[in-house]
Amino acid sequence: EASALFNAFTADEVAAGKMYNDKVVQVSGTVREVSAEPNGPVNVTLETGDAIGGIVCEFAQDQAPACEKDMRVTIKGFCAGYNLDVLLQRCAVVE
């Protein structure tokens, strides 16, 4: 679950980093927001129960999923660490 991954990093960032960073991680959760930068990646942020932090899942523009706020999804990607949010890069939606 997205909240469990987020809580692992907020509880002990070093231990969670050793466990998850640079590895493919699969998370399930509810979409908080979908945003895109012009000519940049599409970010799908998953709800974690934290008012500020989320799981940010980065997709290439041509691989962006058709998802919207409050939709439940399962996504996998490479964990790139924690900086207020947990970042997953090169993501794909798991059917």
Side-chain angles (χ1 to χ4, degrees):
E1 282 297 308
S3 57
L5 179 61
F6 183 81
N7 291 340
F9 274 93
T10 56
D12 188 340
E13 186 178 347
V14 172
K18 287 179 183 174
M19 186 178 294
Y20 298 111
N21 287 351
D22 300 320
K23 294 182 176 73
V24 174
V25 177
Q26 180 171 307
V27 294
S28 295
T30 303
V31 175
R32 177 191 292 173
E33 144 182 70
V34 179
S35 62
E37 297 290 324
N39 302 318
V42 175
N43 292 327
V44 176
T45 304
L46 301 181
E47 190 58 63
T48 60
D50 184 88
I52 300 169
I55 306 294
V56 176
C57 305
E58 196 175 89
F59 291 85
Q61 278 197 338
D62 62 343
Q63 296 173 348
C67 59
E68 52 195 46
K69 184 174 170 44
D70 297 329
M71 190 175 172
R72 182 133 177 97
V73 294
T74 300
I75 295 172
K76 66 180 176 180
F78 286 89
C79 186
Y82 171 75
N83 186 7
L84 297 179
D85 296 307
V86 177
L87 178 61
L88 301 184
Q89 295 178 317
R90 301 193 308 266
C91 291
V93 172
V94 177
E95 299 295 330

